[in-house]
Amino acid sequence: VTFVDTRSVRATSALRWAYVAAGLALIGLMSETPRAQALTVQEITTQRGIKAWLVEEHSVPLISIRFAFAGGAAQDEAGKEGQSSTIADLLLEGAGELSAATLKERLSRLGVRISTSSTRDAIYGGLETLTTRFEPSADLLRQILMAPRFDADAVERVRSQRLTDLALAANDPRRLAADRWYAEAFKGHPYSRPVDGTQESLARLTAADLKAQHSRLFARDGLKIVIVGDITKAAAGAAIDSIFGGLPENAQATRIERVEPRRLSSPVVVEKDQPLAAATFGLPSLPSSHADFPALQVLNHIIGSGDFDSRLMAEVRVKRGLAYSIQTGLLDDSIASLLLGGFSTKNETMGAALATVRDVLETTARNGPTMAEFENAKRYLLGSLLLDFDTNARVAASFLQAWIRGDGPNYLLDRNRRIAAVTLDDVKRVASTVLVVDNLAVTVAGKPKLAP
Amino acid sequence: VQSAFARCVRYCLAGALGVGLAVVGGDAAHAEPRVSTFKLPNGMDVIVVPDHRVPVVTHMVWYRAGAGEDPWGTSGIAHFLEHLMFKSTSKLKSGEFSRTITRLGGRDNAQTTHDTTAYFQRVAKENLRTVMALEADRMVGLKLIEEEVRTERDVILEERRSSVDVIPLSILNEQMLAALYQNHPYGRPALGWAPEMAKLTRADAGTFYRRYYAPNNAVLVVAGDVTVEEVRPLALATYGRNKAVPALQARSRPQEPPSVAERRVQLQDARAGANVLLRYYHAPSYASAKAGDPERVELLAYIVGGDDTSRMYARLVTGGIASTAGTDYTANTLDSGRLSFVIIPVDGVTLAKAESELDAILAEVRETGVTQEELERAKLVLEARRVFESDNQMTLARRYGEGVALGRSVADLDAQPARIQAVTVEDVQRVAREHLKKQSSVTGTVTPPPANTTAPKSSAEVAKP
């Protein structure tokens, strides 16, 4: 999932401290700062022909790798939803000669952090380690990717964990509204498949299904790798070859056509006996390769950054006290480009809150933002770019997303040049083409009163 | 401080393998910053944490007041005031604080726990003065406007609904804390009880503000690309102008009596998707316990249920009894801390069976302690976590800001790794014996109602085309 420039919820309770985004802000030209110089991406091609991005950063004795295989939940077989995300969980449950318990103990002793996860269109992974522990850590990662065991007891254990996770989330209105949104907006398309699967599909998965899907998707052609940290170009190339070089050359993924979300003439309701209702709303938007994408980023900040004076937050929370937070984000991957938002409110006020959202979108489509809003949004987007580039792991993750979106290794400078060139007229044009309320798809979970 | 529920969600919904970083001493030492402290003439504590890797600063102010100071009958007022701090001051219009930070390309936020209220910003180094001036202004210049107060009260009620009232585990957590603490304000939620929150007034907020928001009740942390020589004149020129509140009293809160009876809380909720067992024990906190004990409990908690290599995982998850099993230790608190256990049994295993398994695991550690091998690996993992923490400016600023606000010294905070290394297997067994006592615990369960007595609610899905 590529959430572009989505800001953290302005969370203020003890419960939400965990979501607070840490980051750093820089004003001015990044090329003039020491950090930006350190953030120079080298494109490397290894001896075995694997391409990767490398950022050398020798000031801290840590190395981070982030990588992604094209694929993900949209590649799951029909009726076997949850296949890819189950594979991601099972990678850490035994590899090669190592049982799950032995593998976990080795990882723990080395202190390496290896994680894997799946989205709708990719399977992600990461490794973080001390420089001095890099070689044995990389060797464990090689085995994890090349030779996952899918032992019967591990499959059952992970199945049971995932069924519990689904059961615990089964009555959460936010989760229900979001899941239903994808199901409705992409009805009949593989993009609608729930990443975590369903109770029925998880019950059906066998070790053979997982093995087969692993060998279809884990290949070198759909692979993108970013390495950041205390490592030289030569060592990085050798490590990549040793970790990924043994994977098959070509994945056998199904070709999936790009798709736009369906419009829904009125909200689809998932009825739940809860004291509040949650809504997910979305619109077709622009891919990041589109010339107007930077203008869309400015627009998204103005309506849905989650700042107190972003338009949705100002109208729904600050003026009316209807929600704790309301935000929008730009989601863009190989299959779909979306402007997606969500909030929760009392059942009685859902209609009023949705009417407010529609009104904000309509007004913005008609008149665009004010000059002050436009200038403030640009200043923030230009100044805060490096907020997501502080620790090595975050640098690696941010560059990987940029690469997946189709940006080049000069992403940092290119992105700010493109934002700086956006005019108020550009934003107005994008507002009138993207914020079309007739294209809205809205799902609500709870017992909402929908009349305003 | 994360709530036990948030951690529970992490256990239940995250599923990622949390393993730490094993390091040798040299690596850990490399990552530790050199921290300076001084006091302004008005009594405000200042901490400077240099990190010159990036031209950026993290700025925080921690007040030594939180939900534990909420006067009886006004639960939630500390948190409500934290929201209102983003409204008007004598110099700023409502919302202008955050708007200014955003225009500078920075981010800001705040949090309220039972023990502290904290405000923070991250900005480019050259904007530090602006941020300090803004934060110093709202320390003394807050203007509470009736209409803004009323609207924001709806927001905190909505916050409570969305973060507690819709989630059975969160409700159970709140009920268990209310049972664990019979007299101490830790038994009241930091967000407040809804009926009291609905009646919070502008006057309540103003009283709390005037009583606790003062330089002599606050800790300033500046972490990042600065030196103590740069911070001192800036602090004097901004916070230094704020007058101390002479009437400020030493913190003294209702004390929890010795716990003499084990308590049980049972929640039946149609929205509960699974049976869950939680157990909370009173435990030492870093701020109040004798030196070294919290570190011993940290190691105990890690060995028993810290990750997928723990005793609970091996016996319960690998053993096919539970899908989730783990521990958590809340120790960054002013008064008592808390040691928590969670088990989600697999289908076909009862909560009673899960509980007897937990009791057996805890009895074993009380009676025979832990092994040298377990202890050594646990030390490696905790040391490794500290290295990753020290790589992150925000986490470092939190460590020192919160620690000093809770009355600890920088030297004490920095001695933590050495104290962890000094722990012996005998120490771990001793704290297990001392603190894992049923009479100072609460056991909680959440279950769906028995199938035959439930109306078939919360299951229908209605599509409205």
Side-chain angles (χ1 to χ4, degrees):
Chain A
V1 177
T2 312
F3 257 101
V4 185
D5 288 325
T6 303
R7 300 188 59 198
S8 75
V9 177
R10 192 173 290 282
T12 51
S13 77
L15 289 169
R16 298 189 177 222
W17 178 258
Y19 302 120
V20 166
L24 64 99
L26 285 179
I27 293 291
L29 282 175
M30 290 156 305
S31 55
E32 292 172 2
T33 69
R35 179 59 175 181
Q37 280 163 9
L39 286 176
T40 304
V41 174
Q42 306 174 58
E43 263 184 306
I44 62 174
T45 305
T46 67
Q47 289 191 343
R48 302 185 71 158
I50 303 174
K51 286 194 166 52
W53 289 10
L54 167 68
V55 179
E56 284 190 50
E57 161 63 73
H58 296 284
S59 69
V60 185
L62 298 171
I63 298 171
S64 288
I65 304 181
R66 283 284 189 283
F67 55 89
F69 293 97
Q75 292 288 339
D76 291 350
E77 296 166 80
K80 293 178 183 169
E81 293 81 8
Q83 214 169 359
S84 298
S85 57
T86 304
I87 291 172
D89 282 0
L90 274 163
L91 291 178
L92 297 172
E93 296 286 333
E97 299 296 304
L98 307 175
S99 71
T102 313
L103 173 63
K104 288 170 182 179
E105 191 170 324
R106 292 259 179 107
L107 291 168
S108 154
R109 281 189 178 284
L110 282 170
V112 54
R113 297 177 169 187
I114 294 180
S115 59
T116 47
S117 63
S118 170
T119 65
R120 284 188 158 74
D121 86 330
I123 296 173
Y124 287 87
L127 171 151
E128 273 174 88
T129 177
L130 269 181
T131 313
T132 51
R133 304 295 174 97
F134 181 67
E135 272 187 38
S137 301
D139 191 57
L140 288 179
L141 179 59
R142 176 185 64 80
Q143 297 189 61
I144 283 167
L145 296 177
M146 289 287 304
R149 286 161 60 123
F150 301 115
D151 288 338
D153 61 331
V155 171
E156 289 318 309
R157 192 162 61 237
V158 166
R159 189 197 316 276
S160 154
Q161 284 164 350
R162 298 177 60 89
L163 287 170
T164 303
D165 292 351
L166 282 184
L168 285 171
N171 296 303
D172 183 334
R174 285 158 295 199
R175 174 77 182 252
L176 288 166
D179 285 355
R180 188 58 177 263
W181 193 87
Y182 279 95
E184 292 291 338
F186 298 103
K187 206 172 216 165
H189 187 280
Y191 202 66
S192 68
R193 290 180 189 150
V195 176
D196 295 330
T198 63
Q199 299 275 350
E200 297 72 36
S201 70
L202 291 183
R204 228 175 269 140
L205 284 179
T206 65
D209 294 331
L210 300 167
K211 269 184 201 155
Q213 184 75 339
H214 171 264
S215 52
R216 276 196 290 270
L217 296 182
F218 282 62
R220 277 149 52 185
D221 61 343
L223 174 63
K224 292 186 169 66
I225 308 160
V226 178
I227 298 196
V228 177
D230 184 19
I231 189 166
T232 63
K233 190 172 168 178
I240 290 167
D241 276 344
S242 97
I243 298 168
F244 301 97
L247 290 167
E249 175 122 21
N250 294 308
Q252 296 148 30
T254 313
R255 171 153 178 79
I256 296 176
E257 297 299 326
R258 282 186 64 84
V259 62
E260 288 210 338
R262 293 195 307 150
R263 60 184 289 267
L264 298 170
S265 52
S266 59
V268 170
V269 176
V270 183
E271 281 210 7
K272 275 287 162 187
D273 202 359
Q274 285 279 23
L276 62 69
T280 298
F281 56 93
L283 285 165
S285 125
L286 306 174
S288 51
S289 54
H290 196 286
D292 269 339
F293 190 75
L296 179 62
Q297 288 177 287
V298 174
L299 175 68
N300 179 62
H301 184 84
I302 291 166
I303 59 172
S305 70
D307 285 343
F308 293 130
D309 55 355
S310 57
R311 287 190 167 194
L312 288 168
M313 198 70 166
E315 294 297 325
V316 174
R317 170 169 164 165
V318 180
K319 284 194 196 149
R320 295 178 177 82
L322 292 174
Y324 173 57
S325 88
I326 178 164
Q327 286 178 287
T328 57
L330 301 177
L331 187 145
D332 177 51
D333 63 23
S334 63
I335 304 169
S337 301
L338 307 170
L339 188 150
L340 210 54
F343 66 93
S344 61
T345 186
K346 276 187 289 196
N347 283 314
E348 308 88 271
T349 48
M350 179 49 84
L354 280 175
T356 307
V357 170
R358 290 178 72 93
D359 189 52
V360 165
L361 298 180
E362 258 171 345
T363 310
T364 312
R366 200 163 48 241
N367 305 326
T370 65
M371 183 54 95
E373 285 175 317
F374 164 73
E375 283 176 348
N376 287 345
K378 265 179 76 168
R379 286 186 63 165
Y380 173 78
L381 291 172
L382 290 172
S384 67
L385 172 61
L386 293 189
L387 282 167
D388 298 321
F389 287 80
D390 53 355
T391 61
N392 285 352
R394 284 161 60 97
V395 171
S398 301
F399 275 126
L400 180 62
Q401 287 304 335
W403 188 2
I404 289 172
R405 279 198 305 271
D407 291 306
N410 285 325
Y411 165 68
L412 285 177
L413 290 173
D414 291 347
R415 184 266 196 190
N416 263 18
R417 262 188 225 116
R418 290 177 72 193
I419 296 275
V422 171
T423 66
L424 180 57
D425 282 342
D426 293 336
V427 180
K428 286 183 172 170
R429 183 178 62 251
V430 170
S432 69
T433 52
V434 173
L435 304 181
V436 180
V437 293
D438 285 345
N439 289 341
L440 265 177
V442 181
T443 53
V444 181
K447 281 201 145 183
K449 173 177 172 283
L450 287 178
Chain B
V1 177
Q2 259 189 332
S3 75
F5 169 68
R7 284 184 296 275
C8 205
V9 165
R10 203 176 63 213
Y11 296 136
C12 307
L13 305 182
L17 175 66
V19 287
L21 174 64
V23 290
V24 288
D27 291 316
H30 179 94
E32 292 290 318
R34 290 170 193 279
V35 176
S36 318
T37 58
F38 61 93
K39 226 185 225 306
L40 297 180
N42 59 16
M44 186 162 180
D45 282 307
V46 185
I47 305 168
V48 181
V49 187
D51 171 11
H52 299 291
R53 288 178 294 168
V54 290
V56 157
V57 290
T58 300
H59 171 268
M60 296 179 164
V61 169
W62 293 78
Y63 291 97
R64 293 184 178 97
E69 272 71 29
D70 290 349
W72 280 109
T74 57
S75 62
I77 192 63
H79 171 252
F80 188 29
L81 174 62
E82 177 230 293
H83 275 232
L84 295 170
M85 287 286 282
F86 291 88
K87 305 289 185 187
S88 314
T89 75
S90 50
K91 289 184 188 160
L92 295 179
K93 285 187 294 214
S94 183
E96 203 176 329
F97 187 101
S98 295
R99 196 173 307 132
T100 308
I101 303 295
T102 305
R103 274 215 305 260
L104 296 174
R107 291 180 186 170
D108 71 321
N109 217 321
Q111 69 155 4
T112 305
T113 71
H114 281 92
D115 300 314
T116 58
T117 310
Y119 300 84
F120 79 83
Q121 301 81 30
R122 298 204 77 194
V123 290
K125 173 189 176 169
E126 62 267 28
N127 297 316
L128 177 60
R129 174 188 279 271
T130 308
V131 167
M132 290 173 82
L134 285 170
E135 193 66 82
D137 167 57
R138 71 176 171 179
M139 179 186 283
V140 293
L142 186 66
K143 221 165 69 185
L144 295 165
I145 295 165
E146 186 60 36
E147 198 195 327
E148 290 177 359
V149 170
R150 247 183 291 125
T151 316
E152 198 62 23
R153 197 170 55 201
D154 289 340
V155 172
I156 55 167
L157 284 163
E158 185 54 42
E159 184 180 355
R160 190 188 149 81
R161 253 190 303 279
S162 62
S163 59
V164 181
D165 298 344
V166 294
I167 304 164
L169 261 179
S170 195
I171 297 169
L172 176 67
N173 169 58
E174 219 173 48
Q175 294 296 315
M176 287 175 67
L177 292 178
L180 186 66
Y181 299 101
Q182 299 183 316
N183 195 49
H184 193 283
Y186 288 163
R188 297 176 301 171
L191 279 167
W193 296 115
E196 290 187 353
M197 292 166 74
K199 289 184 179 158
L200 293 176
T201 65
R202 174 174 170 267
D204 295 331
T207 303
F208 195 96
Y209 178 68
R210 284 187 300 276
R211 186 176 296 163
Y212 296 113
Y213 280 54
N216 49 329
N217 200 34
V219 180
L220 166 68
V221 189
V222 183
D225 190 14
V226 286
T227 61
V228 69
E229 290 74 28
E230 291 169 296
V231 172
R232 194 189 304 269
L234 289 177
L236 279 167
T238 53
Y239 297 102
R241 292 164 184 262
N242 292 347
K243 288 207 170 54
V245 171
L248 195 73
Q249 288 163 0
R251 295 184 92 169
S252 157
R253 303 189 292 192
Q255 289 303 289
E256 190 62 23
S259 189
V260 294
E262 93 173 83
R263 292 147 220 170
R264 304 189 74 83
V265 176
Q266 291 170 309
L267 174 67
Q268 270 195 5
D269 193 312
R271 302 166 299 177
N275 294 328
V276 181
L277 173 79
L278 292 175
R279 168 132 0 114
Y280 296 168
Y281 288 89
H282 286 289
S285 78
Y286 277 106
S288 67
K290 60 178 178 246
D293 262 9
E295 286 83 357
R296 294 169 187 129
V297 179
E298 293 271 14
L299 288 161
L300 168 70
Y302 176 80
I303 292 167
V304 172
D307 64 22
D308 287 8
T309 62
S310 69
R311 289 185 174 198
M312 285 178 79
Y313 189 92
R315 176 158 173 166
L316 301 176
V317 181
T318 310
I321 291 167
S323 62
T324 298
T327 52
D328 194 63
Y329 178 35
T330 303
N332 280 323
T333 47
L334 185 65
D335 298 320
S336 94
R338 191 164 60 250
L339 185 54
S340 313
F341 298 85
V342 60
I343 299 176
I344 305 181
V346 296
D347 274 349
V349 172
T350 62
L351 284 169
K353 166 75 173 163
E355 188 174 353
S356 71
E357 289 287 329
L358 175 63
D359 285 334
I361 291 169
L362 300 183
E364 189 183 11
V365 76
R366 275 194 309 265
E367 283 152 26
T368 57
V370 299
T371 67
Q372 192 64 40
E373 193 277 332
E374 284 175 316
L375 181 64
E376 291 313 315
R377 199 166 52 76
K379 286 179 180 178
L380 282 176
V381 170
L382 295 195
E383 188 182 11
R385 284 186 188 163
R386 183 141 172 137
V387 174
F388 277 120
E389 261 178 49
S390 300
D391 185 37
N392 185 319
Q393 197 178 91
M394 181 82 190
T395 316
L396 275 180
R398 273 179 67 77
R399 180 198 291 167
Y400 293 103
E402 184 171 38
V404 171
L406 292 175
R408 303 177 66 192
S409 68
V410 168
D412 177 52
L413 290 158
D414 284 343
Q416 211 156 307
R419 283 198 301 262
I420 284 183
Q421 290 311 318
V423 174
T424 65
V425 291
E426 291 78 21
D427 290 334
V428 175
Q429 186 174 12
R430 179 176 60 73
V431 293
R433 283 181 172 159
E434 254 173 54
H435 300 293
L436 295 175
K437 287 181 182 158
K438 269 281 183 72
Q439 73 260 29
S440 52
S441 76
V442 178
T443 305
T445 57
V446 58
T447 50
N452 53 355
T453 61
T454 345
K457 63 180 181 181
S458 355
S459 56
E461 291 196 3
V462 180
K464 296 187 179 164

